[in-house]
């Protein structure tokens, strides 16, 4: 049954091999493995793992020593999970799925992707073996039953490893050429001096050592203005920046599976060709950089062009604990799926399955990896589970993933989020903060929310129609530069019948105030994840900044960071509309003239709905499709509920 088990047992795992009655050795037991070449060219095939018994079984791969040009030889053995076995795990981007390279497992050939082949080659040591867990090798990917079961164990596998190697790839040629050939280089703690350009992590070390922004080579002492160093784009700084950007834009950062792999492991080490960097230094760098940027070095940071931002807004950088990441929502599947919906995976079902390790398994017992299910079934199962954990709360209907897939690839009901729709990191950052802002609104007022129920593929709700979309404006792009960003706002002003306010008196007009309140979503930013409604002094201060605002050298002069953050979160990826009743709203780019605006029971934000032509609901009310949530001037605190009749409706 287990023809491929090892012929030489790794001392680390010898005591944890399956009980002998579960294993059947082949005649290769008596023959030692060859390091320089296989003695047989048969293809390695996975044996069926034994039944769980008291503990589930996994496979571990022992990477044997070898030289830079030697073939890669490994041994594989099955072990019981959680029996004290010492191993390290590998986190990497699969890259091109074509298996174009060969390694040898138990003297038999096994084809792997180029990305994995490079990772094993650079991880391999010349004088000692390494015990690893590698998903593409240790799981029989062609067996859907095994794959489903092993994926359900991923959280436990990464929690149990001693550390995870984060394989970023091979650096750009200039870095790798300057690195010495041989074993992996431990990235030394260096400054951003002239010799540090050989180190792709030099910029990380700079801030990990708690150095100031003005100590970067782009702030030369010879370039001063009023006694303050000014930014100069020097060749040395450009070199440092290029190496840094190359490292943090490698495909690994966009991979969904890396989220739980790096967050759950006890320790992590970045491996970038021959360079290695403890993840703890990256965390320290990020925290120190933020403190300098917002504190002592703020005036220097403001000189840096926008393209020189250190990190994308990504919780992976600081490997924040899952409980902190969820902000108290430790069992919130909806939040987890949305926080990392911008990460990519080859199988759309993994948008759910690839994050389950972050959650308490007992909280969602019905959500188990099952690759025999369709994408449609997986997404609907996840939505039903989310509704079951938060009855009456329509937060799950807000955010990205509704109304924009015109082809409806997976034939999803409009109330089921399409997690497979592409989302970039800028919009993911907005999504995260929009989630944090959601509890600040109360559009539903005292509208009853006991009408929420699922009937087949319909979602039945109670609601009040509060308006109809009249005009739809230009969409604010996700990656608008400063000029384009403000150009779109000016077109919206014109659409609202307004012009740019020339003075504070003009901003006293109710329509002007409604417009500018809408531009920040009626909230102001306090700190990293804290928001409050824009009232009193905070709103007055914001209006004062609008008057003082002007564009200069690609910088928003006159706007505080807190106001600019609120504007970005409020309007990126949105369009402004007017209603037949004269109101202004920010809504999904999928919004059309004629769509209706609803306040729904349990929904803290209003929603844009579209009549489902030719579809009859099972309820006595009307049938609609969901376009998306919205922010409507004057309807965010229950005003729309007063004096309007309730209706029973259904979403299909």
């Amino acid at each position: 049954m287990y023809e491929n088990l090892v012929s030489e047992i790794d001392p680390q795992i010898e005591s944890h091999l399956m009980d002998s009655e579960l294993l059947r050795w082949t005649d290769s037991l008596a023959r030692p493995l060859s390091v320089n070449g296989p003695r047989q060219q048969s293809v390695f095939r996975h044996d069926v793992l034994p039944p769980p018994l008291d503990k589930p079984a996994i496979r571990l791969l022992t990477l044997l020593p070898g030289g830079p040009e030697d073939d890669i030889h490994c041994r594989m053995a099955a072990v019981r999970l959680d029996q004290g076995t010492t191993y390290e795990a590998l986190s990497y981007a699969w890259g091109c799925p074509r298996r174009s390279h060969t390694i040898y497992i138990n003297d038999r050939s096994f084809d792997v992707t180029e990305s994995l082949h490079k990772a094993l080659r650079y991880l391999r040591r010349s004088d000692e073996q390494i015990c690893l867990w590698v998903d593409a090798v240790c799981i029989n990917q062609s067996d859907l039953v095994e794959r489903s079961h092993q994926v359900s164990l991923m959280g436990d596998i990464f929690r149990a490893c001693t550390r995870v190697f984060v394989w970023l790839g091979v650096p750009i040629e200039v870095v790798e050429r300057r690195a010495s050939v041989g074993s992996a280089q431990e990235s030394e703690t260096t400054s951003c001096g002239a010799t540090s350009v050989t180190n792709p992590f030099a910029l990380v070390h700079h801030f990990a050592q708690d150095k100031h922004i003005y100590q970067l080579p782009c702030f030369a002492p010879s370039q001063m203005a009023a006694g303050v160093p000014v930014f100069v784009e020097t060749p040395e700084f450009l070199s440092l920046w290029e190496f840094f950007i190359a490292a943090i834009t490698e495909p690994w950062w966009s991979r969904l599976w890396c989220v739980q792999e790096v967050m759950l492991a006890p320790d992590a080490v970045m491996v970038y060709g021959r360079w290695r960097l403890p993840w703890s230094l990256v965390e320290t760098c990020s925290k120190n950089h933020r403190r300098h940027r917002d504190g002592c070095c703020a005036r220097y940071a403001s000189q840096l062009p926008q393209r020189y931002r250190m990190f994308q807004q990504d919780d992976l950088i600081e490997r924040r604990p899952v409980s902190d990441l969820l902000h108290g929502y430790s069992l919130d599947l909806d939040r987890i799926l949305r926080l990392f919906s911008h990460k990519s995976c080859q199988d759309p079902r993994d948008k759910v399955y690839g994050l389950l390790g972050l959650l308490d398994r007992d909280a969602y017992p019905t959500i188990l990896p099952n690759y025999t299910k369709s994408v449609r079934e997986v997404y609907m199962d996840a939505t039903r589970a989310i509704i079951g954990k938060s009855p009456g709360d329509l937060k799950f209907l807000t955010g990205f993933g509704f109304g924009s897939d015109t082809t409806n690839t997976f034939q999803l009901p409009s109330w089921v989020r399409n997690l497979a729709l592409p989302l970039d990191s800028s919009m993911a950052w907005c999504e995260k903060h929009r989630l944090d802002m959601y509890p600040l609104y109360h559009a539903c007022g005292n509208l009853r929310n006991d009408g929420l129920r699922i009937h087949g593929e319909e979602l039945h709700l109670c609601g009040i129609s509060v308006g109809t979309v009249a005009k739809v404006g230009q969409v604010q792009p996700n990656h608008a530069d400063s000029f384009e960003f403000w150009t779109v706002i000016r077109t919206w002003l014109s659409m609202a019948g307004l012009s740019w306010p020339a003075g504070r008196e003009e901003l006293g007009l109710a329509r002007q105030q409604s417009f500018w309140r809408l531009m920040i979503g009626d909230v102001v930013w306090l700190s990293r994840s804290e928001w409050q409604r824009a009232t009193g002094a905070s709103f007055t201060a914001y209006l004062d900044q609008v008057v003082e605002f002007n564009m200069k050298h690609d910088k928003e002069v006159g706007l505080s960071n807190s106001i600019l953050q609120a504007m970005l979160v409020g309007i990126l990826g949105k369009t402004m509309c007017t209603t037949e009743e004269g109101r202004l709203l920010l809504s999904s780019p999928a919004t059309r003239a004629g769509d209706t605006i609803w306040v729904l029971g349990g929904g803290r934000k209003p929603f844009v709905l579209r009549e489902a032509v030719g579809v009859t609901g099972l309820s006595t009310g009307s049938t609609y499709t969901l376009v998306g949530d919205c922010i409507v001037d004057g309807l965010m605190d229950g005003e729309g509920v007063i004096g309007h009749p309730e209706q029973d409706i259904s979403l299909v």
Side-chain angles (χ1 to χ4, degrees):
M1 181 177 178
Y2 295 95
E3 293 89 345
N4 294 329
L5 286 174
V6 298
S7 55
E8 285 188 356
I9 310 303
D10 184 342
Q12 291 188 79
I13 61 177
E14 181 175 9
S15 62
H16 302 294
L17 286 172
M18 300 299 114
D19 295 337
S20 59
E21 65 267 25
L22 297 175
L23 309 178
R24 182 159 56 84
W25 305 95
T26 66
D27 57 3
S28 64
L29 264 169
R31 185 172 61 254
L33 289 169
S34 167
V35 172
N36 295 319
R39 295 189 180 183
Q40 56 183 345
Q41 293 297 325
S42 59
V43 176
F44 175 83
R45 299 192 186 282
H46 295 84
D47 294 311
V48 177
L49 285 167
L53 299 180
D54 58 331
K55 296 290 183 181
I58 64 171
R59 300 183 186 93
L60 291 178
L61 187 75
T62 299
L63 179 60
L64 300 177
E69 304 304 322
D70 291 342
D71 289 338
I72 294 175
H73 287 266
C74 310
R75 294 197 299 259
M76 182 173 285
V79 301
R80 295 289 184 197
L81 189 59
D82 296 335
Q83 288 190 343
T85 307
T86 300
Y87 65 93
E88 295 163 306
L90 177 63
S91 177
Y92 68 105
W94 279 36
C96 176
R98 190 166 68 90
R99 295 173 178 262
S100 56
H101 291 70
T102 300
I103 65 173
Y104 297 93
I105 303 175
N106 301 345
D107 263 347
R108 294 172 182 175
S109 65
F110 186 79
D111 292 337
V112 297
T113 63
E114 179 181 11
S115 176
L116 177 54
H117 191 265
K118 283 184 178 179
L120 294 175
R121 184 169 294 281
Y122 276 88
L123 284 175
R124 180 173 58 179
R125 296 167 184 161
S126 60
D127 55 351
E128 61 179 318
Q129 59 193 27
I130 310 173
C131 185
L132 293 170
W133 187 87
V134 184
D135 57 358
V137 180
C138 296
I139 298 176
N140 183 356
Q141 300 290 334
S142 63
D143 183 338
L144 292 184
V145 175
E146 176 184 311
R147 181 180 165 197
S148 298
H149 180 253
Q150 291 285 296
V151 166
S152 71
L153 301 176
M154 292 277 279
D156 295 330
I157 290 171
F158 278 88
R159 287 186 188 94
C161 72
T162 56
R163 65 175 174 175
V164 60
F165 290 115
V166 174
W167 170 251
L168 298 182
V170 180
I172 54 180
E173 281 189 16
V174 64
V175 180
E176 194 64 8
R177 187 170 59 247
R178 290 172 179 171
S180 58
V181 177
S183 59
Q185 303 291 309
E186 293 294 337
S187 184
E188 298 296 334
T189 304
T190 60
S191 65
C192 288
T195 61
S196 66
V197 293
T198 60
N199 186 343
F201 297 121
L203 211 52
V204 174
H205 288 305
H206 179 93
F207 290 104
Q209 294 176 349
D210 207 15
K211 293 189 175 182
H212 294 281
I213 290 176
Y214 63 77
Q215 291 178 292
L216 290 169
C218 56
F219 290 98
S222 58
Q223 301 290 333
M224 304 281 282
V228 176
V230 296
F231 172 80
V232 179
E233 202 171 53
T234 63
E236 185 179 355
F237 175 74
L238 281 175
S239 179
L240 291 170
W241 183 255
E242 287 170 1
F243 294 153
F244 171 74
I245 285 296
I248 68 167
T249 55
E250 289 289 352
W252 181 89
W253 295 98
S254 65
R255 180 175 175 262
L256 181 133
W257 282 102
C258 74
V259 174
Q260 66 175 11
E261 291 169 358
V262 77
M263 283 190 168
L264 298 179
D267 193 15
V269 176
M270 281 189 190
V271 183
Y272 196 32
R274 295 181 176 89
W275 297 92
R276 297 192 180 191
L277 182 75
W279 198 285
S280 58
L281 283 184
V282 183
E283 296 180 75
T284 301
C285 164
S286 176
K287 293 173 183 176
N288 288 348
H289 172 264
R290 185 170 62 251
R291 179 166 46 81
H292 282 281
R293 179 199 65 199
D294 298 338
C296 58
C297 295
R299 60 177 172 175
Y300 303 105
S302 65
Q303 296 185 44
L304 293 171
Q306 196 171 26
R307 62 183 175 276
Y308 292 130
R309 290 180 177 177
M310 277 289 288
F311 296 110
Q312 295 289 337
Q313 299 283 349
D314 199 317
D315 289 290
L316 287 185
I317 293 292
E318 295 180 17
R319 275 207 333 147
R320 298 169 66 193
V322 175
S323 58
D324 179 40
L325 176 73
L326 293 174
H327 296 278
Y329 302 94
S330 58
L331 306 179
D332 194 340
L333 174 61
D334 180 45
R335 186 177 183 88
I336 280 289
L337 295 181
R338 293 165 68 175
L339 283 177
F340 299 107
S341 57
H342 61 298
K343 301 293 183 180
S344 61
C345 53
Q346 293 181 352
D347 190 327
R349 292 169 291 191
D350 289 337
K351 287 284 190 171
V352 177
Y353 295 157
L355 296 169
L356 293 182
L358 297 176
L359 297 175
D360 183 345
R361 201 175 298 166
D362 295 334
Y364 296 91
T366 61
I367 305 297
L368 295 172
N370 183 351
Y371 289 97
T372 65
K373 287 188 173 184
S374 66
V375 176
R376 184 176 187 274
E377 290 175 302
V378 173
Y379 289 5
M380 289 189 70
D381 287 349
T383 304
R384 289 190 183 101
I386 289 167
I387 293 173
K389 292 297 291 185
S390 54
D393 185 357
L394 300 190
K395 178 170 65 75
F396 73 95
L397 291 179
T398 65
F400 182 81
F402 302 104
S404 55
D405 182 10
T406 55
T407 62
N408 198 1
T409 308
F410 305 120
Q411 299 301 302
L412 298 169
S414 68
W415 50 273
V416 174
R417 190 187 311 276
N418 186 351
L419 297 165
L421 289 177
L423 183 71
D424 61 38
S425 57
S426 297
M427 289 308 302
W429 175 75
C430 291
E431 278 282 282
K432 169 187 170 182
H433 287 295
R434 287 167 186 168
L435 270 171
D436 293 333
M437 292 157 52
Y438 176 79
L440 299 178
Y441 306 116
H442 198 57
C444 60
N446 60 359
L447 183 63
R448 64 183 177 88
N449 62 359
D450 56 356
L452 175 63
R453 65 189 187 281
I454 300 173
H455 191 293
E457 296 192 359
E458 290 192 349
L459 184 68
H460 293 191
L461 301 154
C462 170
I464 295 174
S465 177
V466 293
T468 302
V469 176
K471 293 182 181 180
V472 179
Q474 186 175 341
V475 176
Q476 183 67 259
N478 301 351
H479 288 290
D481 59 26
S482 293
F483 179 80
E484 187 176 11
F485 180 83
W486 292 105
T487 298
V488 172
I489 290 179
R490 289 179 186 275
T491 67
W492 289 353
L493 268 168
S494 177
M495 181 178 164
L498 300 169
S499 58
W500 194 278
R504 191 65 176 80
E505 181 179 339
E506 198 171 337
L507 276 175
L509 300 175
R511 185 73 163 177
Q512 281 277 6
Q513 292 199 12
S514 295
F515 178 88
W516 290 106
R517 186 180 292 277
L518 194 68
M519 292 301 100
I520 56 172
D522 200 12
V523 297
V524 291
W525 181 70
L526 297 179
S527 63
R528 192 175 188 188
S529 297
E530 293 184 67
W531 300 82
Q532 70 176 19
R533 293 294 292 272
T535 57
S538 63
F539 185 64
T540 300
Y542 162 52
L543 294 178
D544 290 339
Q545 291 184 37
V546 169
V547 174
E548 297 171 4
F549 169 81
N550 67 83
M551 285 295 299
K552 184 178 181 181
H553 303 306
D554 196 33
K555 296 182 181 65
E556 293 83 359
V557 177
L559 289 182
S560 67
N561 185 51
S562 61
I563 293 300
L564 186 57
Q565 295 279 355
M567 295 188 80
L568 291 172
V569 171
I571 68 178
L572 281 185
K574 296 288 187 180
T575 184
M576 194 196 80
C577 307
T578 60
T579 72
E580 293 179 358
E581 298 75 21
R583 295 188 182 276
L584 305 176
L585 70 145
L586 286 174
S587 62
S588 160
T591 304
R592 302 176 192 166
D595 290 343
T596 51
I597 304 162
W598 288 75
V599 173
L600 301 176
R604 290 182 171 273
K605 298 175 76 174
F607 295 89
V608 177
L609 306 183
R610 184 173 300 149
E611 187 174 357
V613 179
V615 179
T616 302
L618 298 178
S619 63
T620 57
S622 301
T623 305
Y624 296 86
T625 59
L626 173 66
V627 177
D629 67 274
C630 59
I631 293 179
V632 187
D633 163 48
L635 291 180
M636 301 307 294
D637 295 293
E639 299 93 334
V641 175
I642 302 171
H644 293 85
E646 299 178 4
Q647 301 179 52
D648 290 322
I649 65 170
S650 59
L651 298 181
V652 293

